Amino acid sequence: MCARRSVEARFEALETLVRRLVQASPNLAEVGLRVSEEIAAETRAREIAWADAREARQWEVVRVIGCQGTGPGQFQHPLGVAVDQEGRIIVADCSNHRIQVFSRDGDFISEFGSQGAGDTQLNGPWGIAIDQEGRIIVADTHNHRIQVFSRDRTFVSRFGSHGTEPGQFHKPDSVAIDQEGRIIVSDELNHRIQVFSRDGTFVSQFGRFGSAPGQFNHPWGVAIDQEGRIIVADCSNHRIQVFSRDGDFISEFGSQGAGDTQLNGPWGIAIDQEGRIIVADTHNHRIQVFSRDRTFVSRFGSHGTEPGQFHKPDSVAIDQEGRIIVSDELNHRIQVFSRDGTFVSQFGRFGSAPGQFNHPWGVAIDQEGRIIVADRLNHRIQVFSRDGTFVSQFGEEGAGPTQFNQPHGVAIDQEARIIVVDAANHRIQVFSRDGDPLSQFGSQGAGPTQFYCPHGVAIDQEGRVIVVDHVNHRVHVIRMPRVFDA
């Protein structure tokens, strides 16, 4: 609209010029020539301006990275994806047993690995992380080890072998980097967590199968607090364990039961701004809060459907104000509590009316603290204020503009626009912060602008949309339009 107004203003100026020329010169031929020249110039300016306006409203496929195959830049079931400090895109190409690196523009740079057990070889890599120096840390899952590559893709070291001794692994799935650059590995089938220094030296391990302090039975949620302590939800032991940054057992919370400080299959865990430990006590249908020194503070909820009650709370998150936000799965709602545990609000119930849910899935919190929920089986997105007031909903079941078919992922960009993965419609849709539809991109297929059941979505530092096109075995990097028509 700005470009159109600019052109209209120039044509108004042209009309003024014509009037001046007619008044100043009796020679109509001269006037006609001057007017023709001005009209031609303004026509060119109008075409350029309107072309710029159209371009500003277009989706730009920056690059479609890969297709199914084994060649450079091709994928076979890509899993882990990370973006390094320079914007390069690193992909764990699981069934091709390699890691591939692409530039921020999607150009293939290099690949690591081939199937095998030698140095630089991989066997079904899953997790991937980037440390503070840009090094690429790979969970070489079925080789039961971790491999480290420098930021220029040079092999640095590998950790581990198949076994149960310190430094050995049994199916390491996930890898994370703490504030000091240490490598923390979830050693799933050994029921423990292992910690390595940034240079790959074994530092410590947490746990083994069992129920004694420091042992685990299917550890689930893991969080690191502001002091670097590692807090683990030891699900089947019905407790929370806390370890120092050096891996020393500090304390445990809970035993199986329903009393204060007792737990029943805890899943989610989060650390708030004060270092308090917030636990989703899933099968007790409540939330428990412990201080940073592990003192019991309070508990929220009981089994039921009333405000403040839960039916299998799975996940817990902390917003910018320290409020506790809980996904109350089988009650088909989200509940919000103040930092001191006071019930604030709830979002939804089973149903399809505004503010109701049918298996809510993705949740995001925008810059204003508003809560955006992918209401998956209602085929819509719902937006709530930070106080839990229903604001708006987007979509209905279908394939038309603003319609959804099982929306999964949701993300918020730097301008508070809502980016939705419309999975079974094989596309991305964009809405303003106020819920106005802005644009959509993609269709089912394998072409450069198509998707097949996209799942993951992320926004990079430049606001570009990165989409994992799972069944097409590739990753898209997409630049959104600079301007959207309201």
Side-chain angles (χ1 to χ4, degrees), residues 419-431:
I419 319 300
V420 182
V421 176
D422 188 8
N425 276 329
H426 314 283
R427 65 185 178 185
I428 304 296
Q429 296 201 61
V430 181
F431 298 85

Side-chain angles (χ1 to χ4, degrees), residues 117-135:
D119 289 346
T120 77
Q121 293 184 315
L122 301 165
N123 189 0
W126 282 29
I128 189 169
I130 309 299
D131 73 4
Q132 293 87 335
E133 301 174 33
R135 301 185 310 165

Side-chain angles (χ1 to χ4, degrees), residues 367-379:
Q367 294 88 333
E368 301 173 35
R370 302 185 310 164
I371 300 173
I372 293 86
V373 183
D375 188 9
R376 184 170 65 95
L377 296 185
N378 276 328
H379 310 284

Side-chain angles (χ1 to χ4, degrees), residues 408-409 421-428 451-456 467-471:
H408 277 48
V421 176
D422 188 8
N425 276 329
H426 314 283
R427 65 185 178 185
I428 304 296
F451 302 106
Y452 197 159
C453 289
H455 282 205
V467 182
V468 176
D469 189 9
H470 181 67
V471 179

Side-chain angles (χ1 to χ4, degrees), residues 168 210 226 247 356 397:
Q168 294 183 317
Q226 293 88 334
Q356 296 178 331
E397 186 171 9

Side-chain angles (χ1 to χ4, degrees), residues 309-353:
Q309 294 183 315
F310 300 107
H311 192 180
K312 195 172 177 284
D314 293 336
S315 300
V316 62
I318 309 300
D319 75 2
Q320 297 92 327
E321 300 175 30
R323 301 185 308 167
I324 301 167
I325 301 175
V326 183
S327 173
D328 187 9
E329 180 191 354
L330 297 186
N331 277 328
H332 306 280
R333 65 185 178 187
I334 293 170
Q335 298 199 62
V336 180
F337 298 84
S338 69
R339 65 159 302 283
D340 62 5
T342 303
F343 174 78
V344 175
S345 61
Q346 65 177 16
F347 301 49
R349 60 180 180 176
F350 183 77
S352 59

